Structure formats: C-alpha cells, structure tokens
Amino acid sequence: MPGRRLFRFPWRTSAQVAADVDEELRFHLEMVERELVEEGWPEEGARLEAARRFGDLEATRKVCRRLDLSKEKQMKWIKALEELGQDLRFALRQLAKSPGFTLIAILTLALGVGATTAIFSVVNGILLRPLPFPEPERLVRVYPLFKDGRPGYFSLLNYLDWRKQSRTVEAASLFDTSSVNLTGAGGEPERLRGGIVSPEFFSLLKAPLRAGRGFAAGEDKPGAAKVVVLTEELWKRRFGGDPGLLGRTVDLDGTPYTVIGIAGRNRWPAIVDLWVPFELTKERLDPANRGAIYLAGVARLAPGVTLERARAEARAIAARLAAQYPEKNTGYRMDMAGMQTFMVGDVRTPLLVLMGAVLFVLLIACVNVANLLLVRASGRESELAVRTALGAGRTRIVRQLLTESVVLALLGGAAGAALAVWATRALVALAPEKTPRLHEVGIDAPVLLFTLAVSLGTGILFGLAPALRASRPDLSSVLKEGTRGSRGRLAVQARSVLVVAETALAVVLLAGAGLLLRSFGELLHVDPGFDPKNAISFNLSPPSPKYDEDAQLRSLANELMERLQSVPGVEAVGASAFGQPLGSEGFWLSFDVEGRPEARPGEEPA
C-alpha cells in the first residue's frame, strides 16, 4: 500500500473510496505480475496469469467498495459522536462557570415551555387525540335542528322512524342521561349519573368491555330483566374491583339491577357512572308524544359511506317525516356531524387562540435568552478569536455554541415539563365541568414528545443568531486590543433588534389579555334577570318507583319546601322539575293551549 494512504482523513467521498479500491487492486496485480516476471514469465503472459490467479476482478471491486463505504460511514458516526461528546462536556463546563446566567435562562425557558406544554396537553386531549374507539372517523352525531339551526334532540318516535328508514348507518343508538340513587352495596346511598342507551350502544362503539358483556337485543322491552353496565371507575371505587360482582344485583332507585358488564375508561358520549337500557314503554311509544324531544342520537356509518351521503339521506328522511306528521313535524330538519367535531363544538376556537397566546410567550422567552446569549458571547470574543486563530472553522464554532444553547434549552424544557404537570392539573380543575373530553387531558407520551421538540426548536431558535454572530470574530482587533473592537456596535444593534421584537410581542400579548379581561368583566356584570346574591340551588333525585306518580312528587316537593322554609335565615324556597336556573338540564315538550295554535317541537323550552 502506498505510504500516502496513511495520511488520509478518516472520511472519504464515494468517488474517493472507488479510486482507492481501484488503486489497491491495481497495486496487488502489479505485485503478482512482478513476481511472475522475476520467475521468467514474459510480461504479457505474466499480466494474464496474474489476472487469472486473482479471479473475478469486477466482483472483487464491488465487494471492496461496499465494505469500504460501510467502514467510512461507521467512522463518520464514530467521529460525529466523539465530537458531540466533546461539545456536550464543554457546554456543561461553560454553563457551570456562569451559574447566575444559567439559572436565569433555565427559569425563563421553563416558564415559556411549561405554559406551552400545559396548553398543548389540553389541545391534544380535547382537539387532536382521536376518539378511543376503532375507526372513530365513522362515528357521527345525528340530530334534528331547531328553527335557528342549532342542534336539537329527537323524540323517541322520530328516532325510531329515522332508524328504520336509514340505509347509510351500520348501527345507531339513542342516549340520555339521568340521576339515579345507588343504595346498599355496603356503603352510604350515593347519587350517580346514569346513561340511558339503546341495546346497540356498546356494539356500536366496538370497544371491548373490561369484563362481562353489553346489552342484548330485547333488553329494552317492557318486562325484560333489569340489567346495568357499570363504569370501571365506579366498579373500583364503590365495589373494590370485585370480579365476582358480575351476575349480582345492585339497587338503583330502589329497583334491583343485575350487573352484566364493566365498561372501560372510555366515558363517552357523556361522563356517567353506569349505563342502563332505554325502556320502550307503552307510554313512550304513544303517538301523542312525538313532540317530546329529549333524546340524542349517535351512529356508526356503514363501511364506505361518506358523511355527506349520510347527511343527505337524513335530510330526505326528515322531509318525509315532516310531510307524514305535519301536526308535530312541520319544518322538521335533520343533520349529522363527525362525533369528535360535534363534541368539541365551540371549544375549538378559544383553545386555538389560547395556544397562539402561549406561543407568543414562548417567543418572548426565546428573545430574552437570545439577548442574554449575545451579551455572553461578547465576553467570550477573545476565547473564540484564539480558537479561530488556531484553526477552528466557523462551522465548528457555530456547532459548539448551538450545542450550548440546545443543552440550555433541554434543561429549561425539563423544568418546564415539571411545571406543566402542575399547570395541567390546575387547568383541568378550573375548567368548566361541561368541557368535552376533559378527563382525557394529561401529560402523556405525545405531550412529552412535543415538549422535547419545542425545547430543541427553541434551543436552535434563540441560539442560532448569537452563534452566527460570535463565530466571526475580528481577529486583529480582539487579539491586539483584547476588547470587542469594531464589533461592539454590531452587537449593540443586534440586541436592539431583539429588544424591539420582544416589545412588539409583549404589546400584542398585553392587548389580547386586556381584551379578554374586559370581556370577562362584561360577562360578570350581565344581568341574569334575578338577584343571585345569597341564593343556592341543588338537585334532588327521588327514587322510583316510590315517586313515579305526579301526586307523590308534588307531596315530596311540598314537604321539602315547608321544612326548608322553617330553617332560620331562609327567606324563600322554590322548586323546578326541569333543572336549575341557567342550567343545561331539561327537555323540550310540545303542548296545546286551548284557543291557541298548536305548539311545534323545539319552539319553546318547557
């Protein structure tokens, strides 16, 4: 092998590898040919004999090139890792030498990254994460429309007619919610939130239960055995996760229900504690109740059916129902929406605005740290000038400085992630109870990956400009005078630009915060139409069948109001059968007033 091969750099291009292999093979053939000539072979014969003894030259050349290229790639990785290790060790030493600067930068980044991570965890849990069911894109919410276009509710008869005529859905279920009283079960009576659904509900979701089974066909018929599916949370909290609970009974509103299944953690489409079948009683199927609208509908589209096609079919069915039952369905309309889109509703825009606001906060943090790095780089000009004079290239210096900023960003990101855990819990605790999918918000793997990406991105963002500026020192000025020389003015200009950018971002944030505070203040001063001072409200769920009759309910309400009225300090007592004032509970009924036109479903809430 020629001596000059010993002095090659440890990395070569593909062309250099090919040339070296060809030179190596040619050198080997020449050595064999020279030995044959010394043995008395003629030159031409020696050349042919050397090639014959060598074998397939082209195949050998390909193998050698492949092996050399693989070795070069391995050496490049080894060299890169060695340099990265050097950069990391040097960066940690530099940061340790300036604990004040390091602490301020980490805290600044922790605030920006922590706020961004906390809000992203909410956005991810509510907006981005798909519903936890197989093929969630096929799940839709189907609903009639009020006159103003708002999503409304089904009457039972209209729902059954739609389900019978629909050909675009694979399965569908109505659902409603109600309060039930759990008694016995080895504890104090407890008021629970129950979901009331069609037997198809669990097969519609296609999500396996934790244990047992879902509802079967016919379990919604009058006289069928009373069955219930408990949520996993209730099963563990009230029954200690007892696997022998299946097949036993629990008392709900004084009626025994057989536990047939334990549902998983996917509490959807409402946050409830248990599920029971919606019973198709004779009273509910009375044609006079077609105007009683209080039921929601959910469906799974048939394979290959688009949402637009299903919506068109629903509108056509609604038109037929309007024509068939004009006394109750005049102007009847229906529509559909993807379940996830429907659930988030009006929450999407505020969350995206909030996400944009915290990104501004993160940018301000980046600008602050970039300003700090510029000041710090000005004090290191002598060091960088010496390294440049000793042969360090600009790329090598930029990489070293970027490594320092990325290490700083990762430390700030780690602190921000810890802060985000607390902030996320606070956001969930302060969020309105009706916020959709709130129970799915948390710090999980995607959120941590987002934090890592944000940390790396911010490290490059705030470190790139100072690194590029610091990597071009004025050698003559710095080495002769030991000062910043002519670069002082440029550094001051760069810091001025960063200050202007930071001020602009802060003004935008302050303006937005001021508008939000003003809107919040206006909401606090909206007149609700009554004096809420010293007023309290609560819900009462009397057990059935003990209080099924109107007379029994009236008697209970009158007795309760009399006792409350006698409590010292109580000035007035009232009761409502349709939920608390300004609450979301309630349902809509159509009713006729003698001497007036017939009411239409959805026109007035009762």
Side-chain angles (χ1 to χ4, degrees), residues 10 12 68-78:
R12 297 174 292 169
D68 272 20
L69 284 173
S70 176
K71 184 178 180 181
E72 290 297 320
K73 188 177 296 184
Q74 183 180 5
M75 292 178 68
K76 286 180 181 179
W77 276 106
I78 293 174

Side-chain angles (χ1 to χ4, degrees), residues 524-547:
L524 291 178
H525 292 88
V526 170
D527 183 8
F530 60 92
D531 184 8
K533 187 177 180 180
N534 297 328
I536 60 173
S537 62
F538 60 91
N539 289 321
L540 182 67
S541 179
S544 58
K546 185 177 179 180
Y547 292 97

Side-chain angles (χ1 to χ4, degrees), residues 587-589 602-606:
F587 51 89
W588 286 259
L589 295 173
E603 287 185 347
E604 294 292 342

Side-chain angles (χ1 to χ4, degrees), residues 251-275:
D251 288 340
L252 302 176
D253 287 341
T255 302
Y257 281 73
T258 301
V259 179
I260 62 172
I262 306 297
R265 295 182 177 275
N266 302 325
R267 297 181 294 178
W268 179 85
I271 299 177
V272 297
D273 299 298
L274 53 86
W275 302 97

Side-chain angles (χ1 to χ4, degrees), residues 81-397:
L81 291 176
E82 289 178 353
E83 292 182 350
L84 178 61
Q86 294 173 0
D87 291 343
L88 287 174
R89 289 191 294 271
F90 186 78
L92 291 174
R93 289 198 302 269
Q94 290 295 319
L95 294 177
K97 288 179 181 178
S98 306
F101 160 80
T102 302
L103 181 61
I104 292 174
I106 288 177
L107 290 177
T108 301
L109 291 172
L111 290 174
V113 175
T116 305
T117 300
I119 298 301
F120 177 78
S121 68
V122 178
V123 172
N124 179 62
I126 295 177
L127 300 183
L128 302 182
R129 182 182 298 160
L131 294 176
F133 303 103
E135 301 179 286
E137 69 281 358
R138 290 170 54 194
L139 292 173
V140 297
R141 176 72 182 270
V142 54
Y143 47 86
L145 294 172
F146 289 126
K147 285 188 174 182
D148 59 4
R150 292 180 297 116
Y153 299 92
F154 279 107
S155 68
L156 175 60
L157 295 177
N158 281 337
Y159 168 82
L160 294 176
D161 285 341
W162 164 77
R163 183 68 187 96
K164 186 184 302 182
Q165 299 179 41
S166 176
R167 298 294 179 268
T168 59
V169 298
E170 180 179 87
S173 172
L174 53 79
F175 68 88
D176 191 15
T177 57
S178 178
S179 297
V180 295
N181 296 317
L182 173 66
T183 56
E188 294 293 326
E190 185 176 356
R191 188 169 181 268
L192 302 174
R193 186 82 166 171
I196 308 171
V197 296
S198 302
E200 292 179 285
F201 180 71
F202 291 104
S203 60
L204 157 75
L205 297 181
K206 294 187 176 181
L209 270 66
R210 175 71 170 75
R213 65 173 178 86
F215 302 127
E219 289 183 329
D220 58 343
K221 304 298 182 184
K226 301 290 186 180
V227 292
V228 62
V229 174
L230 306 181
T231 61
E232 185 175 1
E233 291 86 348
L234 177 64
W235 176 56
K236 290 182 177 179
R237 175 176 56 81
R238 186 64 187 258
F239 302 96
D242 180 10
L245 184 64
L246 292 177
R248 287 164 32 194
T249 60
V250 295
D251 288 340
L252 302 176
D253 287 341
T255 302
Y257 281 73
T258 301
V259 179
I260 62 172
I262 306 297
R265 295 182 177 275
N266 302 325
R267 297 181 294 178
W268 179 85
I271 299 177
V272 297
D273 299 298
L274 53 86
W275 302 97
V276 296
F278 184 91
E279 188 175 354
L280 299 177
T281 62
K282 181 179 179 181
E283 291 78 9
R284 288 172 173 169
L285 294 173
D286 189 335
N289 289 329
R290 185 173 290 274
I293 57 173
Y294 60 100
L295 298 170
V298 60
R300 178 177 287 273
L301 298 179
V305 173
T306 64
L307 177 60
E308 287 305 317
R309 178 183 166 191
R311 294 175 72 181
E313 181 195 62
R315 291 165 183 164
I317 294 175
R320 290 197 294 270
L321 292 177
Q324 189 173 358
Y325 304 101
E327 70 282 2
K328 299 295 183 183
N329 286 341
T330 299
Y332 195 68
R333 295 179 297 159
M334 287 175 59
D335 202 353
M336 284 185 179
M339 194 62 210
Q340 185 165 358
T341 302
F342 184 88
M343 288 178 68
V344 299
D346 297 334
V347 176
R348 177 184 299 274
T349 299
L351 282 180
L352 293 179
V353 171
L354 192 58
M355 189 69 194
V358 296
L359 287 177
F360 273 106
V361 173
L362 182 61
L363 286 175
I364 291 176
C366 290
V367 172
N368 273 325
V369 177
N371 219 340
L372 292 174
L373 286 176
L374 268 178
V375 175
R376 188 165 182 264
S378 298
R380 297 178 61 185
E381 282 190 332
S382 296
E383 169 204 334
L384 299 176
V386 170
R387 294 179 62 183
T388 302
L390 292 176
R394 188 185 183 197
T395 302
R396 187 71 178 84
I397 293 177

